[in-house]
C-alpha cells in the first residue's frame, strides 16, 4: 500500500467531494463521489448513476475505474470515496478495484471531507479472486 502525501490525499478527497453533486440518485438519494489516482498521476473521478431498473445502477467507484481503464490506465495507487457519513465500498466495487491493485490505498471520507478511515483493499477484500487465479 502506497503512502500519499497530505496534499495529494486532500486533493483526492476534495475531488470526490466535489463530483458527488453530479451523482444521479433519484431512487436512493445517496450520492457517492469517488476519485481514483493512477500511477501516471492523473485523477479519474466518478459518481453513482442509478436507473429505474434498479440493478443496472453503477457505483461511483466503478464509474471511476471504467473511465480510467477506457482511457488506457491500468495502474492505480489510491481511491478516495465520499459519502454522507463515510461508507465503505460495496463488494462489487472491491472486486473490480482488486483486479487492478489488490493493495490499493482506500481513503474513506464523509461529506465534510473528514477522513473517517484510511485502509487498503487487501484489508477490505482479503483472499480476493485475482487474474492469477485463472491460471492455476
Ligand atoms: N453506492 C456506491 O456508489 N458505492 C458504494 O460502494 C456503495 C453504494 C451507491 C449505489 C446506489 O446508487 C447507492 O449508493 C445506494 O446503494
Amino acid at each position: 500500500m502506497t503512502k500519499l502525501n497530505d496534499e495529494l490525499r486532500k486533493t483526492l478527497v476534495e475531488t470526490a467531494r466535489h463530483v458527488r453533486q453530479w451523482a444521479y440518485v433519484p431512487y436512493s438519494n445517496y450520492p457517492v463521489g469517488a476519485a481514483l489516482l493512477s500511477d501516471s498521476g492523473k485523477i479519474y473521478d466518478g459518481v453513482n448513476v442509478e436507473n429505474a431498473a434498479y440493478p443496472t445502477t453503477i457505483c461511483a467507484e466503478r464509474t471511476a475505474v471504467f473511465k480510467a481503464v477506457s482511457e488506457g490506465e491500468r495502474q492505480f495507487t489510491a481511491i478516495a470515496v465520499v459519502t454522507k457519513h463515510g461508507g465503505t465500498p460495496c463488494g462489487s466495487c472491491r472486486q473490480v478495484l482488486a483486479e487492478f491493485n489488490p493493495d490499493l490505498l482506500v481513503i474513506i471520507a464523509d461529506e465534510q471531507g473528514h477522513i473517517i478511515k484510511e485502509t487498503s483493499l487487501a484489508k477490505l477484500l482479503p483472499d480476493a479472486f485475482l487474474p492469477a487465479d485463472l491460471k492455476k
Side-chain angles (χ1 to χ4, degrees), residues 25-122:
V25 289
Y27 309 107
S28 73
N29 198 28
Y30 186 80
V32 184
L36 180 67
L37 177 67
S38 75
D39 284 9
S40 70
K42 281 198 202 161
I43 295 174
Y44 294 85
D45 56 48
V47 296
N48 46 337
V49 181
E50 299 185 344
N51 193 279
Y54 299 165
T56 59
T57 290
I58 187 82
C59 292
E61 298 91 323
R62 276 177 288 156
T63 300
V65 172
F66 298 153
K67 280 171 76 174
V69 172
S70 65
E71 290 190 23
E73 301 276 7
R74 291 188 181 179
Q75 265 141 17
F76 306 108
T77 307
I79 189 167
V81 182
V82 172
T83 60
K84 191 166 190 192
H85 296 301
T88 51
C90 81
S92 298
C93 289
R94 293 177 196 203
Q95 182 65 35
V96 167
L97 290 164
E99 176 81 11
F100 298 100
N101 182 357
D103 203 27
L104 188 75
L105 172 66
V106 181
I107 303 161
I108 308 293
D110 67 15
E111 66 184 349
Q112 272 92 42
H114 298 132
I115 294 176
I116 304 298
K117 183 186 278 194
E118 209 167 298
T119 184
S120 74
L121 201 57

Side-chain angles (χ1 to χ4, degrees), residues 1-6 8-9 77 105 118:
M1 184 172 75
T2 322
K3 263 298 220 179
L4 285 193
N5 66 43
D6 288 350
L8 199 44
R9 182 185 291 105
T77 307
L105 172 66
E118 209 167 298

